Amino acid sequence: MMRLYFLDAVRLILPYDKAVFYLFTEEENGSITLKEPVFKNLSTEAVKEYERLINSDVMGRRVMNLRRTTEYRSSDLIQPVQSAAGDFFTKNNIFWYSGIVMADKDILLGEVIFYRSRDKNDFSDTDLEILNILKDHFTLRLSREKDKCLTVGRVNPLTALGLTERECEITELIMRKFSIEEISDKLVISPYTTKKHINHIYCKLHVKNRLQLLDVVRNCKITN
């Protein structure tokens, strides 16, 4: 599993005592479900307790509410520690924590958190710089995995128009108002290749611009 490998690998350059890596599912009422956790040196009960604290607004929501990929550390968060959160830290021998909240287009994807006990040093500026370097890479990985899960078992109606799987993927991103640069970054291809795919899409669908493309795609999805 990619996330478990990450926790093992990052420990070589960013020492920690405990760690957990969650995926997010956000409900319509605003509550956040933490799913498929992978963790190091934490009990299952501790992981479940953290989820309860997140959904009760006791801790962690300030960074999440930014809805963008962000690295953070607890000593930089100017907020009172409520008793429930304090109990969680005490029971699990946690004093310092740092991590990354990952989001794509305002959609929360996941969070990785690293913990240290009181007898260890706080996470340093160098530690934060390491997280800053890693954050965009793992946001991209989580975003691609989520998109892949959404398309498993689903036949894309755009294939009926003669588009390849890659062209369907790019068309879907255009529908989400991604720019050429954003599409290139997400699919890890060059802008030149992205433009080439878009030209092929336009030719196959007999359109000249994005607005015409959106009309064709909407009609296709309504028909199907």
Side-chain angles (χ1 to χ4, degrees):
M1 181 183 291
M2 179 272 290
R3 288 179 291 137
L4 190 58
Y5 172 79
F6 168 71
L7 292 182
D8 288 332
V10 78
R11 199 170 196 170
L12 300 175
I13 55 176
L14 195 156
Y16 61 81
D17 295 324
K18 309 172 193 292
V20 61
F21 199 150
Y22 293 100
L23 301 180
F24 285 146
T25 296
E26 189 170 7
E27 308 298 338
E28 290 184 2
N29 62 7
S31 67
I32 297 172
T33 301
L34 304 176
K35 65 177 185 178
E36 300 178 30
V38 295
F39 43 94
K40 291 286 186 178
N41 302 326
L42 279 169
S43 67
T44 302
E45 290 72 22
V47 171
K48 290 180 178 178
E49 183 177 3
Y50 178 79
E51 181 177 351
R52 289 194 296 271
L53 292 173
I54 286 292
N55 285 320
S56 63
D57 247 357
V58 169
M59 61 185 293
R61 293 300 291 267
R62 176 167 296 188
V63 179
M64 291 180 196
N65 288 341
L66 295 175
R67 293 188 171 277
R68 65 172 183 263
T69 298
T70 309
E71 78 280 4
Y72 66 88
R73 63 183 165 193
S74 56
S75 53
D76 292 333
L77 302 177
I78 305 174
Q79 59 183 16
V81 177
Q82 299 186 37
S83 59
D87 291 343
F88 171 79
F89 294 144
T90 301
K91 285 191 297 185
N92 293 286
N93 191 26
I94 293 169
F95 193 76
W96 313 105
Y97 63 93
S98 185
I100 305 171
V101 169
M102 286 154 276
D104 181 34
K105 295 288 184 182
D106 293 332
I107 298 174
L108 292 168
L109 299 174
E111 181 180 20
V112 57
I113 317 163
F114 305 101
Y115 300 108
R116 288 177 181 168
S117 57
R118 180 186 288 271
D119 61 332
K120 303 292 174 55
N121 292 327
D122 189 7
F123 291 88
S124 66
D125 289 344
T126 300
D127 294 331
L128 277 187
E129 182 60 28
I130 290 171
L131 295 180
N132 181 56
I133 292 171
L134 294 173
K135 67 181 183 182
D136 290 333
H137 171 72
F138 279 94
T139 298
L140 175 63
R141 289 290 299 272
L142 287 185
S143 179
R144 294 181 71 182
E145 285 189 7
K146 184 171 184 176
D147 288 346
K148 189 179 295 184
C149 289
L150 290 175
T151 58
V152 170
R154 176 172 62 89
V155 177
N156 195 317
L158 297 177
T159 57
L161 300 178
L163 300 187
T164 66
E165 183 177 342
R166 176 62 95 186
E167 289 167 350
C168 288
E169 194 172 11
I170 290 174
T171 302
E172 294 284 358
L173 294 176
I174 292 174
M175 291 287 291
R176 291 165 57 185
K177 300 183 180 180
F178 275 57
S179 67
I180 288 176
E181 291 73 19
E182 290 171 329
I183 294 172
S184 302
D185 289 342
K186 187 172 183 63
L187 301 182
V188 195
I189 57 178
S190 71
Y192 171 80
T193 301
T194 299
K195 290 177 183 177
K196 191 174 180 180
H197 281 303
I198 292 175
N199 286 335
H200 288 164
I201 293 168
Y202 284 5
C203 288
K204 288 182 178 181
L205 301 185
H206 306 291
V207 299
K208 296 180 180 180
N209 52 51
R210 286 192 175 213
L211 186 59
Q212 292 179 358
L213 175 63
L214 296 181
D215 287 339
V216 170
V217 171
R218 289 194 187 102
N219 289 335
C220 175
K221 290 190 174 182
I222 291 173
T223 303
N224 286 272

